[in-house]
């Protein structure tokens, strides 16, 4: 496969994985300027459509079956539908928390059972010893817990929506719904930085794995 084809496939995969977030941010902000409080429902609807299109593209065109993307799409459709039908944004605020906690739970349980799901997902990309897979999986599990906590902190302090005072953790902190909505872009960037910070671990053990194979040969 040529470098151009490889780059094109990587770009397409990134659009599938992160495109719906871009759609959400653009549509939400446009709707916010025109419709006000209905923006979160309009943005969610657009996000749901983009997520389904991305998943179908991944399966039909890229010929890959991404488990995490599938689960994320199911949660987006489920919580999004409930929130839109009931006209209750709380369900939409909770969605990132549920997704991230599920990822963390899935990783930790799989490690405890000796079937590291992170190795299942990325074993075709990296050749790592079990110790490295465990460290990598636990790091991501903790990261997903952090993202869940961050989302809880943000939505509980939204002051221009229907969030009750009893949900707040700190009375002096005020966050707008628009800030929470656009923070998804920041969370995506932070996750990409976190992934980049794992490269020293991956390269260290990948190199050792390659050397071991050479020694055996």
């Amino acid at each position: 496969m040529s470098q151009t084809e490889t780059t094109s496939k990587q770009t397409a995969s990134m659009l599938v994985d992160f495109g719906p977030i871009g759609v959400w941010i653009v549509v939400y902000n446009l709707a916010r300027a025109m419709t006000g409080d209905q923006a979160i429902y309009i943005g969610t609807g657009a996000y749901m459509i983009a997520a389904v299109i991305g998943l179908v593209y991944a399966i039909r065109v890229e010929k890959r079956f991404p488990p995490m993307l599938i689960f994320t799409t199911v949660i987006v459709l489920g919580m999004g539908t409930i929130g839109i039908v009931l006209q209750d944004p709380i369900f939409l605020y909770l969605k990132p928390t549920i997704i991230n906690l599920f990822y963390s739970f899935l990783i930790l349980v799989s490690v405890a059972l000796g079937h590291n799901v992170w190795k299942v997902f990325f074993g075709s990309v990296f050749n790592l010893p079990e110790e490295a897979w465990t460290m990598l999986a636990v790091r991501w599990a903790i990261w997903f817990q952090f993202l869940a906590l961050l989302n809880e902190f943000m939505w509980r302090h939204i002051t221009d929506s229907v969030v009750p005072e009893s949900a707040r953790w700190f009375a002096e902190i005020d966050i707008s719904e628009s800030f929470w909505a656009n923070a998804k872009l920041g969370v995506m960037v932070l996750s990409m930085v976190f992934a980049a910070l794992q490269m020293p671990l991956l390269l260290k053990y990948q190199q050792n794995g390659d050397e071991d194979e050479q020694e055996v040969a």
Side-chain angles (χ1 to χ4, degrees):
M1 181 182 298
S2 67
Q3 184 63 39
T4 301
E5 291 176 331
T6 301
T7 302
S8 297
K9 286 193 173 183
Q10 291 175 342
T11 301
S13 295
M14 289 185 65
L15 287 175
V16 168
D17 295 334
F18 301 117
I21 295 177
V23 170
W24 154 263
I25 291 174
V26 171
V27 174
Y28 174 85
N29 284 289
L30 289 175
R32 187 78 180 179
M34 295 185 291
T35 65
D37 293 342
Q38 292 298 307
I40 191 168
Y41 304 116
I42 297 172
T44 297
Y47 185 94
M48 291 164 64
I49 294 172
V52 171
I53 292 174
L55 180 59
V56 171
Y57 182 89
I59 295 174
R60 296 290 299 274
V61 179
E62 297 182 332
K63 306 300 181 183
R64 62 188 179 103
F65 195 77
M68 296 182 71
L69 183 59
I70 292 173
F71 172 77
T72 300
T73 302
V74 170
I75 293 299
V76 166
L77 293 177
M79 299 294 287
T81 300
I82 294 173
I84 292 173
V85 171
L86 298 181
Q87 292 288 287
D88 188 346
I90 299 296
F91 288 98
L92 309 179
Y93 299 153
L94 282 170
K95 174 170 57 62
T97 299
I98 294 174
I99 291 174
N100 286 304
L101 286 180
F102 177 83
Y103 286 164
S104 178
F105 175 80
L106 177 64
I107 292 171
L108 294 177
V109 170
S110 70
V111 170
L113 296 177
H115 297 285
N116 192 330
V117 71
W118 223 237
K119 180 179 180 180
V120 174
F121 290 165
F122 302 105
S124 61
V125 181
F126 299 102
N127 178 25
L128 307 174
E130 290 300 324
E131 176 188 4
W133 281 118
T134 299
M135 286 191 292
L136 188 63
V138 171
R139 288 183 184 185
W140 275 102
I142 294 173
W143 176 252
F144 286 130
Q145 290 176 14
F146 166 74
L147 292 183
L149 180 63
L150 179 62
N151 184 67
E152 284 295 294
F153 172 80
M154 287 193 295
W155 81 259
R156 289 176 180 274
H157 294 91
I158 295 176
T159 55
D160 58 348
S161 183
V162 298
V163 178
E165 286 289 331
S166 59
R168 297 167 67 87
W169 290 344
F170 305 100
E172 65 276 11
I173 296 178
D174 296 328
I175 294 176
S176 68
E177 183 187 271
S178 179
F179 179 87
W180 171 86
N182 288 284
K184 291 182 182 293
L185 179 60
V187 169
M188 183 178 70
V189 172
L190 285 176
S191 295
M192 293 174 68
V193 171
F194 179 79
L197 291 175
Q198 309 314 306
M199 289 308 297
L201 171 69
L202 294 171
L203 294 175
K204 173 185 176 181
Y205 284 96
Q206 179 74 17
Q207 181 180 7
N208 290 342
D210 291 344
E211 290 175 354
D212 291 343
E213 289 180 358
Q214 292 173 3
E215 289 177 2
V216 172

